[in-house]
Amino acid sequence: MQDVLDVWLKVQAAWLYLEPIFSSEDIMAQMPEEGRRFTVVDSTWKECMAATAEDPSVLVATDQPGLLGRLREALELLELIQKGLNNYLEEKRLYFNRFFFLSNDELLEILSETKDPTRVQPHLKKCFEGIAKLNFNEKLEILAMISSEKEEIAFEEKIDPALARGMVEKWLLQVEESMLKNIRRVSLAGTEDYAFTKRTEWVQKWPGQVVLSGSQVYWTVEAEEAIKAGSLKTYCQKLTDQIGDTVLLVRGKLPTGIRTSLSALTVLDVHARDVIKELAEDGISNTNDFDWLKQVRYYINKEGEQDEVYVHLINTEYPYGYEYLGNSGRLVITPLTDRCYRTLMGALKLNLGGAPEGPAGTGKTETTKDLAKALAKQCVVFNC
């Protein structure tokens, strides 16, 4: 009796976990072998339970003819199914790497809704930090990505999930490629436009992420010119005036999205002004001076035919990641966070890791996330 109950409980646990998975037609179609095995186990299980329901007293229920043998067979099959399922999920993760950051349950939820691409929407945020929704047209083609703050960035080329024939990971990979391609396009276009548009208009015209990276590219260029020309004090005044203009804007009536990007911009602008003020006081006159090199600097470098944004810090240069971040705020920069950035960027350059340490709640994770935003990289937080 004890043996029967032991095996019975194991079978029950495995059946409860697998039953909702294999009740999805899509999963059955994608894993026919495991599906057949599950059907066998399912009928055994239901027969046992039906007989038990007729007379649930323990002596009768555990004495069904051949019960132990049948349960043991079912358990073996269930183990094989589990193994097959894990291999199947592993394949999907290798195809679309962002699935590695999802639990099996989350991944199965995405894979069991292949007929209707809009059903995958609620799970997008788990794969893409910045994308809360995709914009589908009536033919179910994807036209644009939308962040949690309702900011929308259009794709140059439409993506048709129907062509992936139910392979969710295939069209998600296209979404990832489109995201990188279009953020790059918008970033470079926005930066180019900076020179021809009044700054107060420019900040309202482009997505938040572009406003931040574009203004930093120009700050780097203008600061280097001011260092060479010895006009840092004049430039410092120009930056102060720019902050004043932004403050006037914020006091007026603005849509929430623009207000969010202006608050992040102000954080970076104030830091930029403080840096220039410090350089002016120290009388820096050479762009190779350490006091200038230790700042986070954005450059646009030619790579073959195309331009790419690079983030420089001391002797580290890191390609801007073009991950869509939505329209999010930024952390206030202090001398300490600056030092953390220097150390972590140096570590990245050498393919090493970094480990900020300190008491709980001092902002170790937030600083790391903020550095990821500065580099436009995906940042995944695990609580281990």
Side-chain angles (χ1 to χ4, degrees):
M1 193 186 293
Q2 186 63 57
D3 288 348
V4 167
L5 288 175
D6 285 345
V7 182
W8 201 333
L9 284 170
K10 281 182 189 162
V11 172
Q12 172 173 298
W15 181 85
L16 279 173
Y17 172 67
L18 294 168
E19 201 273 335
I21 296 171
F22 284 96
S23 57
S24 144
E25 287 173 20
D26 291 341
I27 296 269
M28 286 295 257
Q30 290 171 64
M31 305 175 61
E33 184 59 29
E34 280 74 15
R36 279 198 295 277
R37 285 176 180 159
F38 186 76
T39 317
V40 175
V41 174
D42 196 46
S43 62
T44 305
W45 175 251
K46 285 179 174 157
E47 280 165 26
C48 289
M49 293 316 283
T52 310
E54 279 170 27
D55 188 349
S57 57
V58 70
L59 290 168
V60 181
T62 52
D63 203 24
Q64 294 172 36
L67 179 64
L68 187 60
R70 286 162 71 198
L71 286 173
R72 278 189 178 145
E73 272 169 32
L75 191 60
E76 274 173 24
L77 281 174
L78 285 167
E79 277 167 3
L80 284 175
I81 296 168
Q82 284 265 28
K83 202 171 165 190
L85 185 65
N86 288 338
N87 290 342
Y88 165 75
L89 295 181
E90 189 66 17
E91 263 171 40
K92 300 289 178 194
R93 287 188 168 117
L94 288 170
Y95 191 88
F96 181 59
N97 299 151
R98 290 177 186 231
F99 281 162
F100 277 108
F101 304 125
L102 304 189
S103 70
N104 284 352
D105 296 352
E106 288 169 335
L107 184 48
L108 283 163
E109 235 168 286
I110 291 177
L111 297 172
S112 59
E113 301 289 359
T114 57
K115 300 252 190 321
D116 180 0
T118 55
R119 297 283 291 276
V120 178
Q121 291 243 66
H123 308 291
L124 275 175
K125 196 105 175 69
K126 292 169 191 152
C127 299
F128 302 96
E129 187 74 19
I131 305 180
K133 289 212 299 272
L134 294 170
N135 187 351
F136 286 92
N137 64 11
E138 58 281 358
K139 288 185 190 160
L140 288 183
E141 294 167 323
I142 303 168
L143 307 178
M145 52 186 173
I146 304 169
S147 75
S148 318
E149 303 81 25
K150 308 273 186 292
E151 181 180 82
E152 186 166 328
I153 292 189
F155 288 163
E156 265 187 315
E157 296 158 5
K158 291 185 293 200
I159 296 174
D160 188 0
L163 297 176
R165 302 222 168 98
M167 287 173 72
V168 182
E169 67 281 11
K170 205 166 178 180
W171 65 262
L172 279 178
L173 197 61
Q174 289 175 295
V175 169
E176 182 181 24
E177 283 163 5
S178 278
M179 170 187 77
L180 300 173
K181 202 161 111 188
N182 286 289
I183 290 293
R184 183 178 165 279
R185 172 178 64 86
V186 179
S187 296
L188 293 171
T191 310
E192 207 171 289
D193 185 46
Y194 185 96
F196 308 107
T197 316
K198 193 163 167 253
R199 194 170 193 256
T200 42
E201 288 163 18
W202 180 80
V203 292
Q204 299 183 56
K205 188 168 146 187
W206 294 93
Q209 186 175 347
V210 176
V211 168
L212 298 185
S213 61
S215 65
Q216 283 173 295
V217 167
Y218 268 88
W219 173 73
T220 307
V221 172
E222 290 169 353
E224 291 197 340
E225 282 168 7
I227 291 172
K228 286 173 189 159
S231 57
L232 282 170
K233 284 196 168 68
T234 330
Y235 185 46
C236 187
Q237 189 50 50
K238 180 184 170 185
L239 291 175
T240 311
D241 297 342
Q242 281 183 355
I243 294 172
D245 296 342
T246 312
V247 171
L248 281 176
L249 261 187
V250 174
R251 284 186 179 158
K253 275 199 168 155
L254 282 178
T256 327
I258 293 176
R259 194 173 286 282
T260 313
S261 52
L262 286 183
S263 82
L265 181 66
T266 309
V267 168
L268 297 177
D269 277 355
V270 169
H271 176 67
R273 184 202 56 194
D274 293 350
V275 168
I276 297 297
K277 197 169 162 192
E278 205 176 288
L279 295 178
E281 283 165 6
D282 295 345
I284 303 297
S285 58
N286 185 343
T287 50
N288 287 329
D289 198 297
F290 184 74
D291 285 317
W292 168 244
L293 292 182
K294 72 179 189 185
Q295 308 302 335
V296 179
R297 311 181 311 286
Y298 284 66
Y299 295 91
I300 290 185
N301 299 346
K302 267 258 180 269
E303 280 217 355
E305 287 298 296
Q306 46 189 22
D307 292 344
E308 293 291 351
V309 182
Y310 273 84
V311 184
H312 288 224
L313 213 167
I314 311 184
N315 57 359
T316 303
E317 51 177 76
Y318 202 84
Y320 189 74
Y322 305 117
E323 171 82 20
Y324 182 45
L325 307 165
N327 191 357
S328 51
R330 292 293 287 273
L331 274 189
V332 173
I333 304 160
T334 67
L336 180 62
T337 56
D338 245 348
R339 278 173 58 195
C340 292
Y341 279 16
R342 272 169 231 149
T343 311
L344 290 172
M345 286 284 282
L348 280 176
K349 172 83 173 171
L350 302 167
N351 292 324
L352 298 170
E357 73 172 311
T362 47
K364 300 180 293 292
T365 310
E366 284 306 316
T367 304
T368 310
K369 278 163 71 174
D370 203 59
L371 177 60
K373 277 183 191 169
L375 298 173
K377 279 289 192 189
Q378 186 189 24
C379 178
V380 186
V381 179
F382 293 99
N383 273 323
C384 304

PDB file of all heavy atoms in Angstrom, residues 281-301:
ATOM      1  N   GLU A 281      37.414  75.656 -14.052  1.00  0.00           N
ATOM      2  CA  GLU A 281      38.123  76.082 -12.835  1.00  0.00           C
ATOM      3  C   GLU A 281      39.529  75.502 -12.783  1.00  0.00           C
ATOM      4  O   GLU A 281      40.463  76.140 -12.301  1.00  0.00           O
ATOM      5  CB  GLU A 281      37.327  75.655 -11.592  1.00  0.00           C
ATOM      6  CG  GLU A 281      36.125  76.573 -11.330  1.00  0.00           C
ATOM      7  CD  GLU A 281      35.132  75.969 -10.350  1.00  0.00           C
ATOM      8  OE1 GLU A 281      35.422  74.882  -9.777  1.00  0.00           O
ATOM      9  OE2 GLU A 281      34.044  76.556 -10.172  1.00  0.00           O
ATOM     10  N   ASP A 282      39.685  74.257 -13.303  1.00  0.00           N
ATOM     11  CA  ASP A 282      41.009  73.626 -13.275  1.00  0.00           C
ATOM     12  C   ASP A 282      41.886  74.092 -14.439  1.00  0.00           C
ATOM     13  O   ASP A 282      43.034  73.654 -14.566  1.00  0.00           O
ATOM     14  CB  ASP A 282      40.873  72.094 -13.327  1.00  0.00           C
ATOM     15  CG  ASP A 282      40.188  71.567 -12.074  1.00  0.00           C
ATOM     16  OD1 ASP A 282      40.101  72.328 -11.091  1.00  0.00           O
ATOM     17  OD2 ASP A 282      39.730  70.402 -12.080  1.00  0.00           O
ATOM     18  N   GLY A 283      41.309  74.907 -15.327  1.00  0.00           N
ATOM     19  CA  GLY A 283      42.091  75.426 -16.460  1.00  0.00           C
ATOM     20  C   GLY A 283      42.537  74.338 -17.429  1.00  0.00           C
ATOM     21  O   GLY A 283      43.671  74.350 -17.910  1.00  0.00           O
ATOM     22  N   ILE A 284      41.667  73.400 -17.718  1.00  0.00           N
ATOM     23  CA  ILE A 284      42.017  72.316 -18.657  1.00  0.00           C
ATOM     24  C   ILE A 284      42.076  72.871 -20.078  1.00  0.00           C
ATOM     25  O   ILE A 284      41.170  73.590 -20.517  1.00  0.00           O
ATOM     26  CB  ILE A 284      40.932  71.186 -18.594  1.00  0.00           C
ATOM     27  CG1 ILE A 284      40.783  70.638 -17.178  1.00  0.00           C
ATOM     28  CG2 ILE A 284      41.246  70.083 -19.590  1.00  0.00           C
ATOM     29  CD1 ILE A 284      42.005  69.973 -16.631  1.00  0.00           C
ATOM     30  N   SER A 285      43.161  72.535 -20.813  1.00  0.00           N
ATOM     31  CA  SER A 285      43.268  73.096 -22.163  1.00  0.00           C
ATOM     32  C   SER A 285      43.585  72.018 -23.204  1.00  0.00           C
ATOM     33  O   SER A 285      43.836  72.320 -24.371  1.00  0.00           O
ATOM     34  CB  SER A 285      44.372  74.154 -22.184  1.00  0.00           C
ATOM     35  OG  SER A 285      45.582  73.530 -21.768  1.00  0.00           O
ATOM     36  N   ASN A 286      43.577  70.743 -22.772  1.00  0.00           N
ATOM     37  CA  ASN A 286      43.935  69.675 -23.710  1.00  0.00           C
ATOM     38  C   ASN A 286      42.895  68.566 -23.613  1.00  0.00           C
ATOM     39  O   ASN A 286      42.520  68.161 -22.510  1.00  0.00           O
ATOM     40  CB  ASN A 286      45.326  69.131 -23.323  1.00  0.00           C
ATOM     41  CG  ASN A 286      45.811  68.101 -24.344  1.00  0.00           C
ATOM     42  OD1 ASN A 286      45.032  67.573 -25.137  1.00  0.00           O
ATOM     43  ND2 ASN A 286      47.104  67.823 -24.316  1.00  0.00           N
ATOM     44  N   THR A 287      42.440  68.077 -24.775  1.00  0.00           N
ATOM     45  CA  THR A 287      41.392  67.036 -24.738  1.00  0.00           C
ATOM     46  C   THR A 287      41.932  65.689 -24.267  1.00  0.00           C
ATOM     47  O   THR A 287      41.162  64.758 -24.060  1.00  0.00           O
ATOM     48  CB  THR A 287      40.748  66.850 -26.128  1.00  0.00           C
ATOM     49  OG1 THR A 287      41.776  66.688 -27.092  1.00  0.00           O
ATOM     50  CG2 THR A 287      39.875  68.038 -26.493  1.00  0.00           C
ATOM     51  N   ASN A 288      43.248  65.560 -24.146  1.00  0.00           N
ATOM     52  CA  ASN A 288      43.800  64.303 -23.613  1.00  0.00           C
ATOM     53  C   ASN A 288      44.016  64.353 -22.108  1.00  0.00           C
ATOM     54  O   ASN A 288      44.604  63.446 -21.522  1.00  0.00           O
ATOM     55  CB  ASN A 288      45.130  63.960 -24.295  1.00  0.00           C
ATOM     56  CG  ASN A 288      44.898  63.489 -25.717  1.00  0.00           C
ATOM     57  OD1 ASN A 288      43.857  62.884 -25.998  1.00  0.00           O
ATOM     58  ND2 ASN A 288      45.823  63.791 -26.613  1.00  0.00           N
ATOM     59  N   ASP A 289      43.568  65.423 -21.481  1.00  0.00           N
ATOM     60  CA  ASP A 289      43.719  65.553 -20.037  1.00  0.00           C
ATOM     61  C   ASP A 289      42.811  64.556 -19.323  1.00  0.00           C
ATOM     62  O   ASP A 289      41.656  64.382 -19.713  1.00  0.00           O
ATOM     63  CB  ASP A 289      43.360  66.988 -19.623  1.00  0.00           C
ATOM     64  CG  ASP A 289      43.901  67.304 -18.236  1.00  0.00           C
ATOM     65  OD1 ASP A 289      43.448  66.637 -17.278  1.00  0.00           O
ATOM     66  OD2 ASP A 289      44.772  68.176 -18.112  1.00  0.00           O
ATOM     67  N   PHE A 290      43.329  63.921 -18.294  1.00  0.00           N
ATOM     68  CA  PHE A 290      42.552  62.875 -17.612  1.00  0.00           C
ATOM     69  C   PHE A 290      41.200  63.376 -17.104  1.00  0.00           C
ATOM     70  O   PHE A 290      40.206  62.664 -17.125  1.00  0.00           O
ATOM     71  CB  PHE A 290      43.360  62.269 -16.454  1.00  0.00           C
ATOM     72  CG  PHE A 290      42.641  61.119 -15.791  1.00  0.00           C
ATOM     73  CD1 PHE A 290      42.552  59.893 -16.421  1.00  0.00           C
ATOM     74  CD2 PHE A 290      42.017  61.276 -14.564  1.00  0.00           C
ATOM     75  CE1 PHE A 290      41.868  58.824 -15.842  1.00  0.00           C
ATOM     76  CE2 PHE A 290      41.326  60.215 -13.967  1.00  0.00           C
ATOM     77  CZ  PHE A 290      41.257  58.994 -14.605  1.00  0.00           C
ATOM     78  N   ASP A 291      41.177  64.652 -16.658  1.00  0.00           N
ATOM     79  CA  ASP A 291      39.914  65.188 -16.123  1.00  0.00           C
ATOM     80  C   ASP A 291      38.805  65.192 -17.169  1.00  0.00           C
ATOM     81  O   ASP A 291      37.625  65.175 -16.839  1.00  0.00           O
ATOM     82  CB  ASP A 291      40.117  66.606 -15.568  1.00  0.00           C
ATOM     83  CG  ASP A 291      40.836  66.564 -14.225  1.00  0.00           C
ATOM     84  OD1 ASP A 291      40.476  65.699 -13.409  1.00  0.00           O
ATOM     85  OD2 ASP A 291      41.774  67.354 -14.014  1.00  0.00           O
ATOM     86  N   TRP A 292      39.198  65.263 -18.446  1.00  0.00           N
ATOM     87  CA  TRP A 292      38.195  65.190 -19.513  1.00  0.00           C
ATOM     88  C   TRP A 292      37.950  63.733 -19.920  1.00  0.00           C
ATOM     89  O   TRP A 292      36.816  63.310 -20.138  1.00  0.00           O
ATOM     90  CB  TRP A 292      38.642  66.030 -20.716  1.00  0.00           C
ATOM     91  CG  TRP A 292      37.810  65.788 -21.953  1.00  0.00           C
ATOM     92  CD1 TRP A 292      38.228  65.265 -23.136  1.00  0.00           C
ATOM     93  CD2 TRP A 292      36.408  66.065 -22.127  1.00  0.00           C
ATOM     94  NE1 TRP A 292      37.195  65.195 -24.040  1.00  0.00           N
ATOM     95  CE2 TRP A 292      36.059  65.671 -23.434  1.00  0.00           C
ATOM     96  CE3 TRP A 292      35.418  66.595 -21.301  1.00  0.00           C
ATOM     97  CZ2 TRP A 292      34.766  65.795 -23.956  1.00  0.00           C
ATOM     98  CZ3 TRP A 292      34.121  66.716 -21.806  1.00  0.00           C
ATOM     99  CH2 TRP A 292      33.804  66.324 -23.112  1.00  0.00           C
ATOM    100  N   LEU A 293      39.035  62.949 -19.989  1.00  0.00           N
ATOM    101  CA  LEU A 293      38.898  61.551 -20.429  1.00  0.00           C
ATOM    102  C   LEU A 293      38.048  60.715 -19.479  1.00  0.00           C
ATOM    103  O   LEU A 293      37.440  59.728 -19.874  1.00  0.00           O
ATOM    104  CB  LEU A 293      40.281  60.891 -20.574  1.00  0.00           C
ATOM    105  CG  LEU A 293      41.178  61.412 -21.699  1.00  0.00           C
ATOM    106  CD1 LEU A 293      42.477  60.630 -21.731  1.00  0.00           C
ATOM    107  CD2 LEU A 293      40.489  61.333 -23.047  1.00  0.00           C
ATOM    108  N   LYS A 294      38.007  61.117 -18.191  1.00  0.00           N
ATOM    109  CA  LYS A 294      37.285  60.286 -17.213  1.00  0.00           C
ATOM    110  C   LYS A 294      35.775  60.508 -17.279  1.00  0.00           C
ATOM    111  O   LYS A 294      35.025  59.919 -16.506  1.00  0.00           O
ATOM    112  CB  LYS A 294      37.808  60.552 -15.802  1.00  0.00           C
ATOM    113  CG  LYS A 294      37.412  61.896 -15.243  1.00  0.00           C
ATOM    114  CD  LYS A 294      37.942  62.099 -13.832  1.00  0.00           C
ATOM    115  CE  LYS A 294      37.341  63.364 -13.229  1.00  0.00           C
ATOM    116  NZ  LYS A 294      37.891  63.678 -11.927  1.00  0.00           N
ATOM    117  N   GLN A 295      35.313  61.368 -18.211  1.00  0.00           N
ATOM    118  CA  GLN A 295      33.870  61.588 -18.354  1.00  0.00           C
ATOM    119  C   GLN A 295      33.276  60.591 -19.354  1.00  0.00           C
ATOM    120  O   GLN A 295      33.981  60.098 -20.227  1.00  0.00           O
ATOM    121  CB  GLN A 295      33.596  63.017 -18.853  1.00  0.00           C
ATOM    122  CG  GLN A 295      34.254  64.109 -18.045  1.00  0.00           C
ATOM    123  CD  GLN A 295      33.842  64.073 -16.575  1.00  0.00           C
ATOM    124  OE1 GLN A 295      32.785  63.575 -16.213  1.00  0.00           O
ATOM    125  NE2 GLN A 295      34.720  64.586 -15.712  1.00  0.00           N
ATOM    126  N   VAL A 296      31.959  60.337 -19.215  1.00  0.00           N
ATOM    127  CA  VAL A 296      31.274  59.501 -20.207  1.00  0.00           C
ATOM    128  C   VAL A 296      31.051  60.355 -21.446  1.00  0.00           C
ATOM    129  O   VAL A 296      30.384  61.380 -21.393  1.00  0.00           O
ATOM    130  CB  VAL A 296      29.914  59.011 -19.663  1.00  0.00           C
ATOM    131  CG1 VAL A 296      29.201  58.161 -20.697  1.00  0.00           C
ATOM    132  CG2 VAL A 296      30.115  58.224 -18.378  1.00  0.00           C
ATOM    133  N   ARG A 297      31.665  59.961 -22.567  1.00  0.00           N
ATOM    134  CA  ARG A 297      31.608  60.774 -23.783  1.00  0.00           C
ATOM    135  C   ARG A 297      30.999  59.958 -24.932  1.00  0.00           C
ATOM    136  O   ARG A 297      31.281  58.789 -25.092  1.00  0.00           O
ATOM    137  CB  ARG A 297      33.025  61.243 -24.168  1.00  0.00           C
ATOM    138  CG  ARG A 297      33.774  61.850 -23.005  1.00  0.00           C
ATOM    139  CD  ARG A 297      35.168  62.347 -23.340  1.00  0.00           C
ATOM    140  NE  ARG A 297      36.021  61.432 -24.077  1.00  0.00           N
ATOM    141  CZ  ARG A 297      36.608  60.354 -23.568  1.00  0.00           C
ATOM    142  NH1 ARG A 297      36.422  60.031 -22.302  1.00  0.00           N
ATOM    143  NH2 ARG A 297      37.379  59.594 -24.301  1.00  0.00           N
ATOM    144  N   TYR A 298      30.156  60.622 -25.712  1.00  0.00           N
ATOM    145  CA  TYR A 298      29.497  59.939 -26.840  1.00  0.00           C
ATOM    146  C   TYR A 298      30.059  60.469 -28.157  1.00  0.00           C
ATOM    147  O   TYR A 298      30.136  61.679 -28.351  1.00  0.00           O
ATOM    148  CB  TYR A 298      27.985  60.215 -26.811  1.00  0.00           C
ATOM    149  CG  TYR A 298      27.239  59.427 -25.763  1.00  0.00           C
ATOM    150  CD1 TYR A 298      27.452  59.648 -24.408  1.00  0.00           C
ATOM    151  CD2 TYR A 298      26.298  58.470 -26.123  1.00  0.00           C
ATOM    152  CE1 TYR A 298      26.764  58.935 -23.444  1.00  0.00           C
ATOM    153  CE2 TYR A 298      25.598  57.743 -25.167  1.00  0.00           C
ATOM    154  CZ  TYR A 298      25.841  57.990 -23.830  1.00  0.00           C
ATOM    155  OH  TYR A 298      25.153  57.276 -22.876  1.00  0.00           O
ATOM    156  N   TYR A 299      30.447  59.558 -29.044  1.00  0.00           N
ATOM    157  CA  TYR A 299      30.971  59.967 -30.348  1.00  0.00           C
ATOM    158  C   TYR A 299      30.223  59.218 -31.440  1.00  0.00           C
ATOM    159  O   TYR A 299      29.735  58.110 -31.216  1.00  0.00           O
ATOM    160  CB  TYR A 299      32.462  59.604 -30.478  1.00  0.00           C
ATOM    161  CG  TYR A 299      33.378  60.335 -29.530  1.00  0.00           C
ATOM    162  CD1 TYR A 299      33.692  59.796 -28.279  1.00  0.00           C
ATOM    163  CD2 TYR A 299      33.944  61.554 -29.879  1.00  0.00           C
ATOM    164  CE1 TYR A 299      34.531  60.458 -27.399  1.00  0.00           C
ATOM    165  CE2 TYR A 299      34.790  62.222 -29.008  1.00  0.00           C
ATOM    166  CZ  TYR A 299      35.084  61.673 -27.767  1.00  0.00           C
ATOM    167  OH  TYR A 299      35.909  62.328 -26.906  1.00  0.00           O
ATOM    168  N   ILE A 300      30.190  59.823 -32.617  1.00  0.00           N
ATOM    169  CA  ILE A 300      29.684  59.067 -33.773  1.00  0.00           C
ATOM    170  C   ILE A 300      30.890  58.755 -34.640  1.00  0.00           C
ATOM    171  O   ILE A 300      31.568  59.666 -35.131  1.00  0.00           O
ATOM    172  CB  ILE A 300      28.621  59.873 -34.533  1.00  0.00           C
ATOM    173  CG1 ILE A 300      27.356  59.953 -33.677  1.00  0.00           C
ATOM    174  CG2 ILE A 300      28.315  59.217 -35.872  1.00  0.00           C
ATOM    175  CD1 ILE A 300      26.186  60.607 -34.309  1.00  0.00           C
ATOM    176  N   ASN A 301      31.198  57.462 -34.796  1.00  0.00           N
ATOM    177  CA  ASN A 301      32.364  57.053 -35.583  1.00  0.00           C
ATOM    178  C   ASN A 301      31.905  56.430 -36.897  1.00  0.00           C
ATOM    179  O   ASN A 301      30.893  55.752 -36.940  1.00  0.00           O
ATOM    180  CB  ASN A 301      33.190  56.000 -34.817  1.00  0.00           C
ATOM    181  CG  ASN A 301      33.713  56.540 -33.499  1.00  0.00           C
ATOM    182  OD1 ASN A 301      33.690  57.735 -33.266  1.00  0.00           O
ATOM    183  ND2 ASN A 301      34.163  55.649 -32.628  1.00  0.00           N
TER     184      ASN A 301
END
